[in-house]
């Protein structure tokens, strides 16, 4: 009994020290075991196949193997990227593991039967390389699904440690067993590890189905999108430099690997001893990497920043290359491989991940993965070609490969300087975006000659509110101790929003416990601060659940609400903790309590209950949110909207879309819908095509797309441009413009842009013609005969003038998607300038900026817009045909502008001319209610007028 109690206490202590929550340990252990076995298998197979290949085929054939690896990886990753969007991930993982087990087993049997030919060694060498890429990729995709963002921040470090541990174990195991049982038998050990991984991954997936039951939640964690990453890389200087640095590092690494393998195989001729040697040193490299990661990386990256940190790996390889060039031998070969193997996965890995920080998340998920897989494989093939030319063709000694490595390092160092400057520019653009727009010069971040961390610290101390909030909301990936004092300082700030965000960021720091300082915020008048403070205290408490229970027993209702909301957030994705903590019972009891209490306590309780359901994703009570979304009280609907958005449950989408037209809750609804991520666009498009969304809802959808900010959103907005509603078109093009400004990495296809400019130009010319015709009609009226018909013509002209302005605005918005938006905005602003000189300069600038085909189309329109009146001569110069009145009105009714349609139908009614009756009757059954009404009235007016005769 005593031993059992002691064991439980020890387990609880370990879980607290490692910051593992109740309900998480099972998933964590399964994932750690899986990655440990996968990496251990790789470190068993890789030294074995390297030794067999070098002994059986020879070092001179290794470059050909590199080329085959590149070709195979290119084909397989292309096929894989297509399948992964259609086939469930669990089936892909199971297929990969089973195929790997069968492949290794077949190779092991062939090896024992002495039936190994050179071509089999080539096949297996390539397969091992591809297996390493696919297994790691699949595992981390699975990890992103199994753990939510908050869990990942705490647990991914432990999983990464298990991966390094697997590498150390697998390598040392190979070095010990290879001489004893032989390489062929060692492979069966790897097979046994992979067999264990099959039920482990199946178990993980089954747990995941229960934890992340929402389709949108699972999709948001995988981050899959349809846009080809190569276009994203080509469109961004930052991504291009990142790809070049990756390619150069892989090229250098493969040349280093060749030197290490060649020198090792020359010194150690026995294949079992060579396998043991490789296993021993591969484990040592992993061990060095672990030590550097634990004791050096954080200090190096924190003190010197991303720029200096990127120099460590190439400088380390340079020292090794010079050592081999001057004193060729086994130890210099070990030195250069140690520099590559240990620094790449520690300092350089952290610096590269930090380098990707300014890139938007959806772009990062696409382009970074593509760089890590495809660019790596492509560079591997290039290294093979170089080695074939130098070693096989020119018969260059192994030591002189160092000369090529040094040349590559020179180029590598050059691009490190380039990417560092671009990295700084990315931050300057992001941090000064709002201040530039508002011409606010209170503080401009100057990080040109200082490290990025110093620049961030300056903003946190001296920046304006918007700059500080930007840093705080993006600082999750830069949780470095150097930022801690600056964030702590913000607890004294006047802005409640900044205090809230500061507490949320301090939540993740473990170096100093600020519980005593945070306690004073528990009774703050701002609810978000109370919630953040409670979450902090719970996080930094020895017994979190016990502390929450204490807060729940307090008399201060605001503290109780903050505590229960914190508990709801803590139990997200953790059904076991929900039950054990009593959260589900609390929700049930308070739903019953609401029936017996009155305002204002009732309103506060409803708000809390809805928030708790949403934060905890307690699907048992989703029906309560659904009912609240239809409540007559706008405050209740607002709370329900927020709760629904937190769940990412598809069942709430119809009600959320209905609420988006509620002006009091519109922005909250947009925020909730945007939380569903890019996969919501498929749903929205389907609803539009099926006619399930009215035009008032569709008019608000561009705001949702703008908020999400992904490539899918850009595509969706272009589809919205085809909808027969002028307001939808205006909102869509405005959203596209804002997306271009906020997310320059997104792709706005030139073909679509030009098509829309052509459509706008055609509409502008038709409108200009219609306006001329209506003006001519007005001129027919004498001063004494002005009446309803005259006013109807005049009203239509006012609308046409407004539409011309909107046309011109949209044309420039579309041009801003193709050309630098700041230049286009400047031109458009100066075209409206009352000074003629400024207008002429703007037109001249535009004339030099546009491509030839667009210049011919756009320039006449811009010049026409400056004319004070529309004349026949002007229309002739633009080759615009003047239509008869009947054709003109028909054309206007066929357009997308509802207000103009109503104005035309009103004009037809007051004209009372029977020749228009057929035209008016076409719109009696129009989907728009107002258009139907105006059409019916016009027909009735015409019939009344003609019946007299």
């Amino acid at each position: 009994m005593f031993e059992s109690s002691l064991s439980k206490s020890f387990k609880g202590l370990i879980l607290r020290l490692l910051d593992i929550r109740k309900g998480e340990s099972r998933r964590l252990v399964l994932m750690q075991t899986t990655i440990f076995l996968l990496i251990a298998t790789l470190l068993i197979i890789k030294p074995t196949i390297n030794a067999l290949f070098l002994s059986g085929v020879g070092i001179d054939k290794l470059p050909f193997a590199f080329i085959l690896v590149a070709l195979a990886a290119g084909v397989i990753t292309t096929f894989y990227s297509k399948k992964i969007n259609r086939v469930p991930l669990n089936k892909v993982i199971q297929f990969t593991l089973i195929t790997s087990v069968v492949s290794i087993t077949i190779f092991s049997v062939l090896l024992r039967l002495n039936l190994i030919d050179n071509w089999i060694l080539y096949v297996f060498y390539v397969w091992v390389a591809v297996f390493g890429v696919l297994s790691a990729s699949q595992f981390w995709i699975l990890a992103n699904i199994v753990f939510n963002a908050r869990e990942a921040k705490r647990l991914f470090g432990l999983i990464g440690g298990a991966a390094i541990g697997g590498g150390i174990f697998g390598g040392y195991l190979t070095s010990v067993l290879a001489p004893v049982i032989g390489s062929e038998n060692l492979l069966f050990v790897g097979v046994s590890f992979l067999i264990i991984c099959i039920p482990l991954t199946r178990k993980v997936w089954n747990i995941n189905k229960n934890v992340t039951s929402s389709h949108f939640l699972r999709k948001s964690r995988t981050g899959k999108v349809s846009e080809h990453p190569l276009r994203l890389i080509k469109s961004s200087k930052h991504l291009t430099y990142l790809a070049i640095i990756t390619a150069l590092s892989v090229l250098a690494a493969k040349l280093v690997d060749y030197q290490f393998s060649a020198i090792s195989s020359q010194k150690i001729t026995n294949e079992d001893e060579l396998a043991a040697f490789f296993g021993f040193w591969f484990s040592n490299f992993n061990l060095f990497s672990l030590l550097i990661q634990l004791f050096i990386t954080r200090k190096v990256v924190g003190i010197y920043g991303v720029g200096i940190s990127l120099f460590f790996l190439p400088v380390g390889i340079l020292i090794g290359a010079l050592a081999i060039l001057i004193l060729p031998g086994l130890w210099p070969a070990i030195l250069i491989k140690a520099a590559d193997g240990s620094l790449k996965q520690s300092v350089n890995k952290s610096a590269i991940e930090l380098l990707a920080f300014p890139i938007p998340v959806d772009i990062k998920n696409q382009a970074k993965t593509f760089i890590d897989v495809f660019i790596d494989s492509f560079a591997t093939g290039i290294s093979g070609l170089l080695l074939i030319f130098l070693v096989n063709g020119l018969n260059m000694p192994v030591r002189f490969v160092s000369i090529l490595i040094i040349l590559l390092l020179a180029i590598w160092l050059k691009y490190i300087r380039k990417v560092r400057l671009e990295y700084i520019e990315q931050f300057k653009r992001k941090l000064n975006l709002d201040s530039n727009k508002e011409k606010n010069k209170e503080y401009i971040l100057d990080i040109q000659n200082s490290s990025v961390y110093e620049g961030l610290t300056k903003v946190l101390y001296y920046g304006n509110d918007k700059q500080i909030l930007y840093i705080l909301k993006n600082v999750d990936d830069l949780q470095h101790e150097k930022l801690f004092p600056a964030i702590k300082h913000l607890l004294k700030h006047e802005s409640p929003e900044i205090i809230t965000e500061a507490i949320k960021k301090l939540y993740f720091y473990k170096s100093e416990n600020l519980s005593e300082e945070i306690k004073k915020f528990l009774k703050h008048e701002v609810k978000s601060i109370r919630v953040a403070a409670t979450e902090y205290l719970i996080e930094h408490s020895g017994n979190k659940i016990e502390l929450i229970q204490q807060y729940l027993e307090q008399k201060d209702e605001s503290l109780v609400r903050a505590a229960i909301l914190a508990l709801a957030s803590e139990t997200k994705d953790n059904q076991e903790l929900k039950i054990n903590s009593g959260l589900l019972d609390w929700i049930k009891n308070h739903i019953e309590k609401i029936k017996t209490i009155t305002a204002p306590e009732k309103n506060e309780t409803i708000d809390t209950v809805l928030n708790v359901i949403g934060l905890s994703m307690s699907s048992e009570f989703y029906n309560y949110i659904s009912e609240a979304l239809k409540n007559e009280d706008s405050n209740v609907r607002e709370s329900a909207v927020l709760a629904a958005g937190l769940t990412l449950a598809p069942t709430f989408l119809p009600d959320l879309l209905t609420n988006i037209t509620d002006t009091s809750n519109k922005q909250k609804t947009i925020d909730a819908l945007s939380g569903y991520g890019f996969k919501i666009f498929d749903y929205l498009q389907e609803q539009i095509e099926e006619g399930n969304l009215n035009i008032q809802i569709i008019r608000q959808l561009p705001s949702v797309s703008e908020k999400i900010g992904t490539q899918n959103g850009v595509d969706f907005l272009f589809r919205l441009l085809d909808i027969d509603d002028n307001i939808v078109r205006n909102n869509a093009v405005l959203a596209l413009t804002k997306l271009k400004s906020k997310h320059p990495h997104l792709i706005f296809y030139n073909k679509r842009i030009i098509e829309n400019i052509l459509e706008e130009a055609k509409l502008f010319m038709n409108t200009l013609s219609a306006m001329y015709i209506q003006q001519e009609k007005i001129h027919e009226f004498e001063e004494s005969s002005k009446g309803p018909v005259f006013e109807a013509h005049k009203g239509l002209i006012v609308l046409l003038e407004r539409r011309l302005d909107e046309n011109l605005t949209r044309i420039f918005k579309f041009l801003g998607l193709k050309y630098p938006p700041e230049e286009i905005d400047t031109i458009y602003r100066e075209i409206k300038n009352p000074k003629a000189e400024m207008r002429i300069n703007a037109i001249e600038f535009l004339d030099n900026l546009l491509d030839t085909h667009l210049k011919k189309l756009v320039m006449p329109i811009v010049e026409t817009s400056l004319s004070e009146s529309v004349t026949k001569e002007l229309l002739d110069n633009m080759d615009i045909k003047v239509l008869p009145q009947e054709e003109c009105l028909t054309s206007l009714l066929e357009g997308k502008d509802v207000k103009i349609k109503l104005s035309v139908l009103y004009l037809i009614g007051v004209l009372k001319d029977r020749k228009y009756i057929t035209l008016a009757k076409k719109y009696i059954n129009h989907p728009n209610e107002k258009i139907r009404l105006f059409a019916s009235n016009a027909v009735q007016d015409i019939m009344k007028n003609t019946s007299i005769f």
Side-chain angles (χ1 to χ4, degrees):
M1 182 73 178
F2 174 75
E3 290 181 356
S4 176
S5 176
L6 185 63
S7 175
K8 289 182 179 179
S9 299
F10 179 76
K11 180 181 178 182
L13 176 63
I14 295 298
L15 292 177
R16 284 196 299 274
L17 288 175
L18 297 178
D19 201 13
I20 302 171
R21 311 290 170 79
K22 192 170 183 180
E24 293 174 351
S25 56
R26 188 182 181 195
R27 285 178 285 156
L28 175 63
V29 170
L30 286 171
M31 293 298 285
Q32 284 181 312
T33 306
T34 302
I35 192 62
F36 180 94
L37 293 175
L38 284 173
I39 302 301
T41 302
L42 187 61
L43 266 292
I44 290 171
I45 298 173
K46 188 174 181 180
T48 303
I49 186 57
N50 283 0
L52 290 170
F53 187 92
L54 294 174
S55 300
V57 181
I59 186 64
D60 59 324
K61 302 299 183 184
L62 187 59
F64 294 96
F66 286 168
I67 296 173
L68 290 174
V69 168
L71 294 174
V75 172
I76 291 173
T77 52
T78 300
F79 176 78
Y80 177 81
S81 63
K82 293 179 180 179
K83 287 293 183 183
I84 193 66
N85 284 319
R86 296 197 294 265
V87 180
L89 179 63
N90 62 319
K91 293 184 179 180
V92 174
I93 294 175
Q94 294 290 305
F95 177 81
T96 302
L97 290 173
I98 293 171
T99 303
S100 301
V101 168
V102 173
S103 301
I104 301 174
T105 303
I106 292 173
F107 185 83
S108 302
V109 172
L110 292 174
L111 189 61
R112 286 184 60 84
L113 297 175
N114 294 318
L115 297 176
I116 295 295
D117 291 326
N118 286 356
W119 71 270
I120 296 179
L121 288 173
Y122 273 109
V123 170
F124 199 64
Y125 186 95
V126 171
W127 177 87
V128 169
V130 176
F131 167 76
V133 173
L134 281 181
S135 59
S137 174
Q138 290 172 356
F139 175 85
W140 288 110
I141 291 175
L142 179 62
N144 274 280
I145 298 175
V146 171
F147 298 103
N148 60 42
R150 177 169 284 187
E151 291 171 337
K153 287 183 175 69
R154 291 184 286 103
L155 304 178
F156 273 19
L158 298 175
I159 296 173
I164 296 177
I168 296 171
F169 173 79
Y172 283 139
L173 186 66
T174 302
S175 66
V176 172
L177 294 183
V180 178
I181 65 175
S183 302
E184 65 275 12
N185 293 317
L186 191 60
L187 293 175
F188 286 109
V189 178
V191 169
S192 64
F193 287 171
L194 285 182
I195 291 174
I196 297 172
C197 288
I198 295 173
L200 284 177
T201 54
R202 187 180 296 122
K203 189 70 175 176
V204 169
W205 186 262
N206 289 334
I207 293 174
N208 164 65
K209 285 199 300 185
N210 297 326
V211 172
T212 55
S213 56
S214 168
H215 167 76
F216 288 99
L217 185 59
R218 289 198 298 273
K219 290 295 183 182
S220 67
R221 292 186 184 176
T222 59
K224 298 173 189 173
V225 288
S226 57
E227 185 53 47
H228 198 287
L230 189 58
R231 291 177 179 170
L232 299 175
I233 295 170
K234 289 172 65 177
S235 67
S236 166
K237 186 187 295 184
H238 189 62
L239 286 172
T240 300
Y241 289 159
L242 186 59
I244 290 173
I245 286 176
T246 301
L248 290 169
S249 67
V250 172
L251 276 171
K254 292 304 176 183
L255 296 178
V256 167
D257 190 51
Y258 175 83
Q259 283 189 311
F260 177 70
S261 300
I263 295 173
S264 300
S265 62
Q266 290 172 3
K267 301 294 183 180
I268 305 170
T269 55
N270 182 275
E271 66 181 34
D272 290 334
E273 291 179 2
L274 187 59
F277 173 84
F278 283 149
F280 175 78
W281 279 108
F282 285 166
S283 290
N284 287 340
F285 300 151
N286 275 283
L287 182 59
F288 298 156
S289 180
L290 180 60
L291 293 174
I292 293 172
Q293 183 73 14
L294 292 175
F295 301 110
I296 298 176
T297 298
R298 293 181 66 186
K299 291 183 179 179
V300 169
V301 176
I303 294 172
Y304 298 108
V306 63
I308 301 299
S309 301
L310 288 170
F311 284 103
F312 273 69
L313 178 58
V315 170
I317 294 175
L318 176 62
I319 294 171
L322 291 172
I324 290 179
L325 191 62
I326 298 169
L327 297 170
L330 189 58
W331 280 108
I334 293 173
L335 173 64
I336 192 172
K337 185 64 179 175
D340 177 64
S342 57
L343 291 172
K344 180 187 292 182
Q345 298 303 323
S346 52
V347 176
N348 195 72
K349 179 69 174 176
S350 297
I352 288 292
E353 293 304 322
L354 185 60
L355 195 64
F357 172 70
I359 305 169
V361 174
D362 57 295
I363 304 294
K364 187 188 304 182
N365 288 344
Q366 301 170 71
K368 189 68 168 55
T369 303
F370 182 82
I371 290 171
D372 289 343
V373 178
F374 182 81
I375 299 298
D376 185 294
S377 302
F378 180 79
T380 299
I382 297 298
S383 68
L385 291 173
L386 289 173
L387 287 170
I388 290 172
F389 175 75
L390 295 173
V391 179
N392 296 2
L394 301 181
N395 200 25
M396 178 184 288
V398 172
R399 64 185 293 191
F400 288 111
V401 173
S402 290
I403 296 175
L404 179 58
I405 293 175
I406 292 170
L407 292 174
L408 288 172
L409 292 175
I411 302 173
W412 187 353
L413 293 171
K414 173 185 175 182
Y415 275 97
I416 286 175
R417 288 192 292 271
K418 284 179 174 288
V419 79
R420 178 182 179 274
L421 292 175
E422 182 61 22
Y423 175 73
I424 293 172
E425 287 300 315
Q426 288 279 335
F427 266 103
K428 289 177 69 176
R429 284 192 288 269
K430 283 178 173 291
L431 295 177
N432 293 317
L433 180 63
D434 291 333
S435 59
N436 287 340
K437 286 181 179 179
E438 299 174 6
K439 297 183 180 180
N440 182 355
K441 297 183 179 180
E442 292 179 13
Y443 175 77
I444 298 177
L445 180 62
D446 181 17
I447 57 176
Q448 185 67 35
N449 299 311
S450 62
S451 72
V452 172
Y453 281 118
E454 290 173 351
L456 295 176
T457 302
K458 286 181 182 179
V459 174
L460 293 175
Y461 275 114
Y462 308 114
N464 59 44
D465 287 5
K466 289 187 176 181
Q467 291 173 332
I468 293 172
L469 283 171
Y470 178 84
I471 291 294
L472 289 175
K473 290 180 179 180
N474 290 275
V475 80
D476 284 352
D477 293 336
L478 290 174
Q479 290 161 14
H480 190 271
E481 294 300 327
K482 193 170 183 179
L483 294 176
F484 178 82
I487 299 176
K488 178 182 175 182
H489 172 76
L490 293 175
L491 294 177
K492 301 175 183 178
H493 204 279
E494 295 179 356
S495 168
E497 189 176 3
I498 288 177
I499 295 174
T500 301
E501 291 299 325
I503 296 174
K504 287 180 179 179
K505 298 306 168 288
L506 291 170
Y507 173 99
F508 294 104
Y509 286 88
K510 307 296 182 182
S511 57
E512 182 181 346
N513 193 327
L514 300 176
S515 295
E516 291 302 318
E517 295 183 45
I518 300 295
K519 280 182 181 178
K520 66 182 181 181
F521 293 110
L522 289 175
K523 296 186 178 181
H524 198 281
E525 60 183 6
V526 178
K527 179 180 176 181
S528 62
I529 293 179
R530 296 198 303 269
V531 174
T534 305
E535 288 183 347
Y536 180 93
L537 293 171
I538 292 169
E539 173 65 22
H540 292 262
S541 169
N543 191 323
K544 297 178 176 58
I545 302 303
E546 182 178 330
L547 182 61
I548 289 176
Q549 295 296 341
Q550 291 177 10
Y551 289 153
L552 291 175
E553 294 171 1
Q554 297 293 319
K555 294 182 179 180
D556 186 345
E557 285 298 322
S558 64
L559 189 59
V560 172
R561 284 195 297 273
I564 197 65
L565 289 171
L567 177 61
S569 182
E570 290 293 324
T571 58
K572 183 180 181 180
D573 289 348
N574 195 329
Q575 188 69 15
E576 182 181 351
L577 187 55
K578 288 179 194 175
I579 297 171
N580 293 339
S581 64
L583 179 71
L584 298 181
D585 290 335
W586 185 94
I587 296 172
K588 184 177 181 181
N589 293 337
H590 279 71
I591 288 176
E592 292 298 321
K593 180 181 177 182
I594 290 171
K595 300 175 182 177
T596 62
I597 56 179
T598 57
E601 182 184 0
K602 181 176 182 178
N603 295 338
E604 293 178 354
T605 305
I606 291 174
D607 178 71
T608 303
V609 169
L610 288 169
N611 271 277
V612 168
I613 296 172
L615 281 169
S616 62
M617 291 186 176
S618 298
S619 55
E620 302 94 323
F621 301 101
Y622 280 1
N623 63 314
Y624 188 75
I625 297 178
S626 297
E627 293 173 2
L629 285 168
K630 302 179 180 68
N631 198 288
E632 295 181 357
D633 190 329
S634 63
N635 293 324
V636 173
R637 292 199 305 274
E638 178 180 345
S639 299
V641 163
L642 293 173
L646 290 170
T647 68
L648 295 183
T651 185
F652 297 125
L653 285 174
D655 288 331
L656 284 174
L657 288 169
T658 300
N659 272 276
I660 203 171
T661 57
D662 181 358
T663 54
S664 60
N665 289 321
K666 184 173 76 171
Q667 190 54 53
K668 294 288 191 306
T669 308
I670 290 171
D671 293 341
L673 288 168
S674 65
Y676 283 80
F678 64 87
K679 291 301 294 184
I680 196 175
F681 296 122
D682 293 337
Y683 173 83
L684 294 176
Q685 188 62 36
E686 181 182 334
Q687 294 301 304
I688 291 172
E689 290 173 357
E690 293 178 359
N692 296 332
L693 302 182
N694 62 45
I695 198 65
Q696 284 74 26
I697 292 175
I698 297 174
R699 287 172 178 174
Q700 307 305 322
L701 297 184
S703 298
V704 177
S705 181
E706 177 195 335
K707 187 81 174 178
I708 295 174
T710 64
Q711 187 64 47
N712 310 66
V714 173
D715 298 338
F716 179 70
L717 286 171
F718 272 109
R719 288 195 292 270
L720 286 183
L721 292 171
D722 296 328
I723 291 179
D724 189 15
D725 184 81
N726 213 42
I727 296 177
V728 172
R729 189 170 179 83
N730 287 337
N731 292 346
V733 72
L734 182 61
L736 284 168
T737 304
K738 291 181 178 179
L739 281 176
K740 177 75 172 180
S741 175
K742 294 177 183 177
H743 306 289
H745 296 288
L746 295 176
I747 297 172
F748 298 79
Y749 298 102
N750 283 337
K751 182 180 178 181
R752 290 181 177 177
I753 294 170
I754 292 172
E755 286 175 353
N756 279 278
I757 292 175
L758 287 170
E759 184 177 344
E760 291 294 341
K762 181 180 178 181
L763 182 60
F764 185 94
M765 294 177 184
N766 290 341
T767 304
L768 205 63
S769 173
M771 188 171 170
Y772 171 78
I773 294 167
Q774 302 313 309
Q775 286 178 344
E776 289 300 301
K777 290 293 181 182
I778 279 185
H779 293 156
E780 295 175 1
F781 288 87
E782 296 180 1
E783 190 67 27
S784 59
S785 62
K786 291 180 181 178
V789 176
F790 174 86
E791 295 299 329
H793 280 296
K794 186 177 179 181
L796 180 56
I797 289 173
V798 170
L799 288 176
L800 292 173
E801 288 177 339
R802 188 181 304 166
R803 189 162 85 171
L804 285 174
D805 287 338
E806 291 177 353
N807 277 151
L808 189 64
T809 300
R810 287 197 296 266
I811 287 172
F812 272 89
K813 294 296 184 185
F814 283 121
L815 288 174
L817 301 179
K818 179 175 173 58
Y819 300 97
E822 62 277 6
E823 296 179 2
I824 295 296
D825 289 343
T826 300
I827 292 170
Y828 182 65
R829 183 175 63 251
E830 296 305 327
I831 283 175
K832 300 288 186 179
N833 196 310
K835 295 181 180 180
E837 182 181 356
M838 297 302 296
R839 294 199 300 270
I840 293 171
N841 290 336
I843 292 175
E844 184 66 21
F845 183 20
L846 181 64
D847 188 60
N848 286 279
L849 181 66
L850 297 178
D851 297 335
T852 304
H853 62 288
L854 278 177
K855 187 184 299 185
K856 293 178 180 179
L857 181 68
V858 173
M859 291 308 298
I861 291 175
V862 174
E863 291 170 350
T864 300
S865 68
L866 302 179
S867 302
E868 295 182 359
S869 60
V870 182
T871 63
K872 184 67 168 60
E873 183 181 3
L874 186 149
L875 296 180
D876 291 339
N877 290 336
M878 295 184 68
D879 197 23
I880 297 175
K881 184 180 179 182
V882 178
L883 301 174
Q885 173 75 326
E886 188 174 355
E887 290 184 33
C888 172
L889 298 182
T890 301
S891 176
L892 292 175
L893 285 172
E894 291 174 350
K896 297 180 179 181
D897 195 316
V898 174
K899 289 184 178 180
I900 286 181
K901 287 182 178 181
L902 296 175
S903 182
V904 170
L905 289 171
Y906 175 75
L907 175 60
I908 289 174
V910 296
L911 286 173
K912 300 178 181 179
D913 191 334
R914 191 169 182 82
K915 67 180 179 181
Y916 296 119
I917 192 167
T918 303
L919 182 59
K921 283 183 177 180
K922 289 182 180 179
Y923 296 89
I924 289 179
N925 297 317
H926 195 275
N928 186 294
E929 184 180 354
K930 284 189 176 180
I931 293 176
R932 291 199 304 270
L933 177 62
F934 274 60
S936 297
N937 291 339
V939 171
Q940 290 176 12
D941 289 339
I942 294 172
M943 294 296 292
K944 288 178 182 177
N945 186 58
T946 55
S947 64
I948 297 174
F949 304 96

